[in-house]
Amino acid sequence: MGYLDELNTSQREAAENIEGPTMVIAGAGSGKTRVLTFRIAYMIDKGVDPFNIMALTFTNKAAKEMTERIGTIVGGGEARNITMGTFHSVFSRILRYNADRLGYPSNFTIYDTQDSKSVLKSIISDFNLDNKAYKAGNVLGRISSAKNNLISPDAYAQNADIQQEDKMSKRPEMGRVYKTYANRCFNAGAMDFDDLLYQTNVLLRDFPEVLYHYQQKFRYILVDEYQDTNYAQYLIVKKLAAVYENICVVGDDAQSIYSFRGANIQNILNFKKDYPDFKLFKLEQNYRSTKNIVEAANGVIAKNKDQIKKTVWTDNVQGEKIRVVRTLTDNEEGKLITNKIYDAIGNNGLYYSDFAILYRTNKQSRSFEESLRKLNIPYKIYGGLSFYQRKEIKDLLSYFRLTANHHDEEALKRVINYPKRGIGKTSMQNILIEANKHGVSAWEIMSNFMKYPVAINTGAKNKMSDFVTMIKSFAAQLEKIDGYTLAQEIARTSGILKELHTDKDKGPEEVERYQNIEELLSGIRSFVAGQGEHDSKSLSEFMMDVALLTDADQNKDDDKNHVTLMTIHSSKGLEFPNVYLVGLEENLFPSQMALNSRTELEEERRLFYVAITRAKTTCTLSYATSRFLWGNLISSEPSRFIDEIDRKFLEFEAPQRGKGRSLGGRLGGAFSNPTASGGLNKNLASKSLTPVNRANPPKPKTGGTLDLKVGYNVEHDRFGKGKVIQLDGDGPDKKATIFFPKHGSKTVLLRFANLKVEG
């Protein structure tokens, strides 16, 4: 067990304490993932059967990486026997195995947010409700909150306080909408994400034999990010751990930032009440950040009253002070920060991936995107439209979903007439009305026109019957052939490939859609190839994996060498050498909506703490004295959080306008190579994001390319060869839209693009 020698004293004590209730409070950058990994390996070495271990992680990606690490210690075969994944992925599998007890098919569909909103929009329309008062997103949030607190539709309708709240918010029909939504999901054989937890609680509550089975199976339970669990998750874990109480929760109350998703910080604060004989371990040594960053963050979070006291410290170098930058407007903030990144890369040979820009809300990304594009700096925004939400991908996935679950109404509505097969909206609407009247699925109506006569013409009925036959033919092969082969068959027979292949001659966007389908099929092929000898390689298994992807799981890109832009919430669990925390203004951060109570303000402060502790080497805070809001320029003042940092950790830069290239000289050694002259230790340096290639800072170019014409072939340093399809602007502001076969359309500023013109 020499691997335990890699741990410090506190980490090792936490890893070796495998019996009884245990709480590990892990400060930022304290190596909690390593502790969890080694703890599980140690349990197996001590004779614990891997089949008796359940580990619940924040992302599926984290679970996969931990399984691989454990496998290198105890053997891959043993590691694969551990039940490990997110709450949703682990309990969705339990639900599939026991679905019939709850009246669901084992191949039930998992609705994403877009699917759920679509169902709700239909219900709101059917009830003739005001879609401004009953916005689908707000209604879904209300239903989600009810499910996370295990409030059923019937209990919701009978709760006087809830009914009063809905009347006050001008949504008196909310209870009826909730009940109808639940019924339609059930009839469609579908669960949304919240159902995966809600229905697991129902399963464990109503079927004691099922609860007993899993209590015996999962004798050792580990929960990561325990501070982010909601009531439904808390109750599941408490029930399963009730017999043996071999439960280990890991987290940091100082990083509890998801109350808007239903997370309850009291779960971790009250752990000692649930398990009075628990053992507490504190991981307080930070391996990530410089002393200045660690101590500044400590000073901020100390101002929160609700917390488990700990003292985070580090042996790393003192490091640069945290810089505070003021600009006149949000647009200048974007230019200034971008110029700093440009100069740091050019002067110090850093990678683009060494930099992250973090903000409180997604809308703040605009000024930074514009500035980064002008300097031809590659960047990626996380939290935007995911690959699996693109129209063409959703279309093909809907065929897959319908193949596995014929009653999936949202999938059916999406593809019944795509590609066009002559089935009009009116015919489909009549089908849906009939289905709702009889309390059955639309598929049931379409499959039994003799039993359910519908007022649609014979031609439409015949086309629907042909569609039903096609889907049934796919379903007949679901468990007979591998997922990739069947996916190809569906893409071809449904007509989607032909449709997109015909479209791809129309322009770059159509080509990109076709390429996205190819990418999806390649992904399925990789999934099938990566499955073990005894694992399912079916399309159903792939669909289940896709449905359970979290935002963090989807944050991946073949070209990793880019500046990262993301909200602070999305950055949790990540780290970057250089962090720019922008928009530090009152009413923006802290948010104006979080100033009504101490509880809300303390969560904003925890969010600020999370943001600072993402930084390894340097951290820069910026704010603007005025910001455009709803088209108006609004005056703003610095965030109170800046004042909460001890001045000895701060360096205030003189106000700068975000123009010109003269700012680089002011940076001094702030962005120097961390491995040189007293930089961070090798362990810290090795944990940074791995870049693909050395950054080649863009060099302004003013000649040659300014005379480009539409149709010219050009070559770009990063995107390769392409063709100019559009030109805009004049002189030094002239921009070109270029189509690159491998990257799609890109708009570049010619004076910085450094293009080679081939004529």
Side-chain angles (χ1 to χ4, degrees), residues 120 136-153 155-156 159 162 165-166 171 174 178 181 192-195 197-198 201 230-233 258-264:
L120 287 169
N138 294 340
V139 172
L140 182 59
R142 184 73 168 167
I143 292 172
S144 174
S145 179
K147 288 181 180 178
N148 285 334
N149 286 286
L150 305 182
I151 300 172
S152 68
Y156 187 101
N159 188 300
I162 291 177
E165 286 178 11
D166 286 339
R171 291 196 295 256
M174 190 60 230
Y178 179 15
Y181 171 76
D192 62 22
F193 255 61
D194 296 309
D195 281 324
L197 302 179
Y198 177 86
N201 273 287
N230 59 33
Y231 178 65
Q233 292 167 323
Y258 291 116
S259 66
F260 67 96
R261 293 182 184 172
N264 186 355

Side-chain angles (χ1 to χ4, degrees), residues 29-213:
S30 62
K32 70 179 177 68
T33 302
R34 172 174 286 196
V35 171
L36 271 174
T37 303
F38 285 8
R39 190 177 197 273
I40 294 173
Y42 182 75
M43 290 164 65
I44 296 172
D45 277 341
K46 283 294 183 180
V48 175
D49 190 335
F51 283 101
N52 292 144
I53 301 173
M54 177 173 69
L56 300 169
T57 60
F58 192 60
T59 66
N60 292 302
K61 180 181 177 183
K64 183 178 179 182
E65 290 174 352
M66 281 180 60
T67 301
E68 290 173 353
R69 290 186 194 178
I70 294 167
T72 61
I73 299 172
V74 301
E78 289 295 290
R80 291 175 70 89
N81 295 331
I82 302 166
T83 298
M84 188 181 299
T86 64
F87 272 90
H88 294 91
S89 65
V90 169
F91 294 110
S92 69
R93 292 180 184 277
I94 290 175
L95 285 171
R96 289 190 189 280
Y97 189 76
N98 295 279
D100 59 322
R101 297 175 188 268
L102 299 172
Y104 284 87
S106 61
N107 57 353
F108 60 81
T109 298
I110 299 174
Y111 276 173
D112 61 19
T113 301
Q114 190 176 342
D115 296 321
S116 295
K117 285 182 179 179
S118 178
V119 176
L120 287 169
K121 285 176 182 177
S122 297
I123 294 169
I124 291 164
S125 175
D126 291 347
F127 288 176
N128 294 315
L129 299 174
D130 181 357
N131 58 16
K132 292 181 179 178
Y134 291 86
K135 290 183 178 178
N138 294 340
V139 172
L140 182 59
R142 184 73 168 167
I143 292 172
S144 174
S145 179
K147 288 181 180 178
N148 285 334
N149 286 286
L150 305 182
I151 300 172
S152 68
D154 289 339
Y156 187 101
Q158 294 167 12
N159 188 300
D161 291 336
I162 291 177
Q163 296 308 306
Q164 184 61 32
E165 286 178 11
D166 286 339
K167 287 178 182 178
M168 293 291 288
S169 62
K170 298 181 180 179
R171 291 196 295 256
E173 294 291 323
M174 190 60 230
R176 187 159 70 109
V177 172
Y178 179 15
K179 188 174 183 66
T180 305
Y181 171 76
N183 288 338
R184 289 200 182 175
C185 287
F186 182 79
N187 290 336
M191 295 189 195
D192 62 22
F193 255 61
D194 296 309
D195 281 324
L196 297 178
L197 302 179
Y198 177 86
Q199 296 294 350
T200 298
N201 273 287
V202 171
L203 179 69
L204 300 180
R205 180 197 68 195
D206 294 351
F207 299 93
E209 70 279 12
V210 175
L211 174 60
Y212 177 78
H213 170 77

Side-chain angles (χ1 to χ4, degrees), residues 688-702:
S688 63
L689 294 180
T690 304
V692 176
N693 295 302
R694 271 286 180 184
N696 294 311
K699 299 176 182 178
K701 182 173 180 176
T702 57

Side-chain angles (χ1 to χ4, degrees), residues 246-273:
N246 291 322
I247 176 172
C248 174
V249 300
V250 183
D252 182 6
D253 57 295
Q255 298 185 64
S256 178
I257 59 173
Y258 291 116
S259 66
F260 67 96
R261 293 182 184 172
N264 186 355
I265 192 174
Q266 295 304 318
N267 290 347
I268 194 167
L269 295 177
N270 292 335
F271 186 79
K272 59 185 177 183
K273 294 181 180 178

Side-chain angles (χ1 to χ4, degrees), residues 392 500 503 508-518:
E392 61 276 10
L500 292 177
D503 280 349
E509 290 183 2
E510 286 73 18
V511 171
E512 187 173 359
R513 282 196 284 268
Y514 186 82
Q515 290 173 340
N516 285 338
I517 292 294
E518 289 182 325

Side-chain angles (χ1 to χ4, degrees), residues 185-383:
C185 287
F186 182 79
N187 290 336
M191 295 189 195
D192 62 22
F193 255 61
D194 296 309
D195 281 324
L196 297 178
L197 302 179
Y198 177 86
Q199 296 294 350
T200 298
N201 273 287
V202 171
L203 179 69
L204 300 180
R205 180 197 68 195
D206 294 351
F207 299 93
E209 70 279 12
V210 175
L211 174 60
Y212 177 78
H213 170 77
Y214 288 109
Q215 284 174 333
Q216 297 303 312
K217 178 175 175 59
F218 301 130
R219 300 186 179 202
Y220 293 84
I221 299 173
L222 300 93
V223 186
D224 193 12
E225 305 289 2
Y226 192 64
Q227 78 279 351
D228 292 328
T229 54
N230 59 33
Y231 178 65
Q233 292 167 323
Y234 160 80
L235 208 58
I236 291 170
V237 170
K238 195 168 187 297
K239 286 179 179 178
L240 292 176
V243 175
Y244 295 98
E245 292 197 346
N246 291 322
I247 176 172
C248 174
V249 300
V250 183
D252 182 6
D253 57 295
Q255 298 185 64
S256 178
I257 59 173
Y258 291 116
S259 66
F260 67 96
R261 293 182 184 172
N264 186 355
I265 192 174
Q266 295 304 318
N267 290 347
I268 194 167
L269 295 177
N270 292 335
F271 186 79
K272 59 185 177 183
K273 294 181 180 178
D274 290 330
Y275 307 95
D277 58 340
F278 84 111
K279 291 184 179 179
L280 173 64
F281 299 91
K282 295 181 181 180
L283 308 183
E284 297 174 303
Q285 182 174 359
N286 180 297
Y287 291 92
R288 175 186 300 155
S289 309
T290 63
K291 285 180 180 172
N292 264 313
I293 292 171
V294 169
E295 291 172 12
N298 283 348
V300 170
I301 202 63
K303 293 175 172 57
N304 273 8
K305 291 186 177 181
D306 254 351
Q307 62 175 294
I308 299 170
K309 293 294 182 182
K310 61 181 177 299
T311 303
V312 178
W313 59 278
T314 184
D315 271 340
N316 292 331
V317 297
Q318 192 67 36
E320 301 288 336
K321 290 186 177 183
I322 294 175
R323 287 179 175 77
V324 181
V325 178
R326 184 183 80 186
T327 59
L328 296 181
T329 67
D330 50 339
N331 284 334
E332 289 196 0
E333 182 184 41
K335 293 175 185 176
L336 181 65
I337 298 303
T338 301
N339 285 339
K340 283 181 173 294
I341 293 172
Y342 183 102
D343 289 335
I345 290 171
N347 296 337
N348 298 292
L350 301 183
Y351 303 101
Y352 292 122
S353 56
D354 286 334
F355 299 87
I357 300 174
L358 308 181
Y359 34 75
R360 180 64 179 82
T361 63
N362 275 310
K363 65 183 180 182
Q364 291 171 252
S365 71
R366 179 195 56 79
S367 64
F368 300 97
E369 287 189 75
E370 290 178 359
S371 298
L372 289 164
R373 279 200 299 266
K374 286 178 181 177
L375 293 184
N376 202 26
I377 295 176
Y379 68 90
K380 181 175 176 65
I381 295 180
Y382 291 93

